[in-house]
Amino acid sequence: MSVAAAAGAPAARLADASVLVIGAGALGCAAAEALAAAGIRRLTLVDYDRVERSNLHRQLLHRTADLGRLKVESARDALAARYPALVTAVAAVRFDAGNARDLVRGQTAVIDATDGIANKFLINDLVIGLRTPLVHAGIVRFQGQLMTILPGVSACYRCLFGAPPAAGSVPSCQEAGVLGSLAGTIGTLQAAEAIRLATGEGALLTDRLLTYDALATRFRQVKLRRNPACPTCAPLGDPLAATAGTG
Ligand SMILES: [Zn+2]
């Protein structure tokens, strides 16, 4: 849906919204919790992974008693205990070209809460290709980054980074480690972006990359431009411009 197509008061628009969170780990737990607390009624969580002991310091919806369970089921149950009005659908699958259309259909926004750069490119290409707003984030060690993408309107992840680096050349969060509170900060900011997308309120983090250095407690913003030759978003033209008004 377009950002400004929703009518009514912000709270009502939020209750009508639906957000797909890809990844039920560190970022996904923080984002889902913040969305539920804000009044989102419909979430879909996608993750095929299971809860491990090494996850618990940063994946705050999972408990020791959840070890070995599917993360989507552990997260769904934790959310249900606190937010009885929330309806959480789960899909214990790897998000890919085969299921993207079904999972993204009808969603107000998609949150990329995965680990690993290859996943970021895949999700960008599929979600932007389906003309659905995407909130990207990445975290590793003490560094986080965040950007929101309106398909065909603002710069996408591939406009910025071009092509994935060679496999194994950049460590994932799982491999390099990450500060738990960094995941909380960035995941909560992702939720705030999804709330802005759902309500049409405020200024989206589009055409800007926000970076956060948790060691120095320093936020920075880098201005971005669409790449007119971007293979992902250039073919889309400007489909939201006529209706969104907030790009
Ligand atoms: Zn692009």
Side-chain angles (χ1 to χ4, degrees):
M1 63 173 287
S2 69
V3 175
R13 281 177 256 162
L14 200 58
D16 287 341
S18 179
V19 178
L20 175 68
V21 180
I22 307 174
L27 289 171
C29 284
E33 169 87 48
L35 287 168
I40 285 271
R41 300 276 179 80
R42 286 177 293 151
L43 284 178
T44 302
L45 305 178
V46 180
D47 200 319
Y48 59 91
D49 213 355
R50 292 179 182 273
V51 179
E52 297 177 34
R53 188 173 298 279
S54 63
N55 304 153
L56 297 180
H57 74 287
R58 65 183 188 276
Q59 303 184 11
L60 300 182
L61 291 175
H62 310 309
R63 304 282 182 263
T64 307
D66 298 316
L67 293 178
R69 295 184 70 200
L70 286 165
K71 288 183 181 177
V72 287
E73 295 184 352
S74 168
R76 175 200 60 199
D77 293 350
L79 291 166
R82 293 189 59 186
Y83 307 100
L86 177 70
V87 176
T88 305
V90 299
V93 296
R94 182 189 291 270
F95 184 84
D96 62 21
N99 55 36
R101 188 173 294 275
D102 284 342
L103 288 167
V104 170
R105 182 182 297 124
Q107 301 290 348
T108 309
V110 177
I111 286 180
D112 177 356
T114 60
D115 187 17
I117 289 179
N119 287 329
K120 306 296 178 196
F121 278 94
L122 177 77
I123 289 167
N124 178 80
D125 293 352
L126 292 174
V127 175
I128 300 309
L130 291 166
R131 300 176 187 266
T132 302
L134 172 66
V135 184
H136 155 86
I139 51 171
V140 66
R141 293 174 54 81
F142 301 99
Q143 309 293 327
Q145 66 182 34
L146 180 79
M147 65 186 282
T148 292
I149 303 148
L150 292 177
V153 176
S154 67
C156 82
Y157 186 77
R158 195 175 280 278
C159 288
L160 179 56
F161 293 108
S169 63
V170 178
S172 67
C173 156
Q174 182 73 26
E175 292 160 348
V178 67
L179 181 67
S181 67
L182 170 67
T185 301
I186 299 295
T188 304
L189 289 173
Q190 285 186 285
E193 284 295 293
I195 290 165
R196 280 190 276 277
L197 283 163
T199 61
E201 301 287 322
L204 291 166
L205 189 66
T206 48
D207 290 326
R208 294 178 286 157
L209 179 74
L210 180 75
T211 65
Y212 174 48
D213 179 344
L215 273 184
T217 314
R218 183 172 294 134
F219 286 93
R220 288 200 169 104
Q221 288 192 29
V222 181
K223 283 190 176 179
L224 308 177
R225 280 190 178 177
R226 287 182 74 191
N227 173 5
C230 174
T232 300
C233 73
L236 298 180
D238 199 350
L240 293 180
T243 55
T246 56

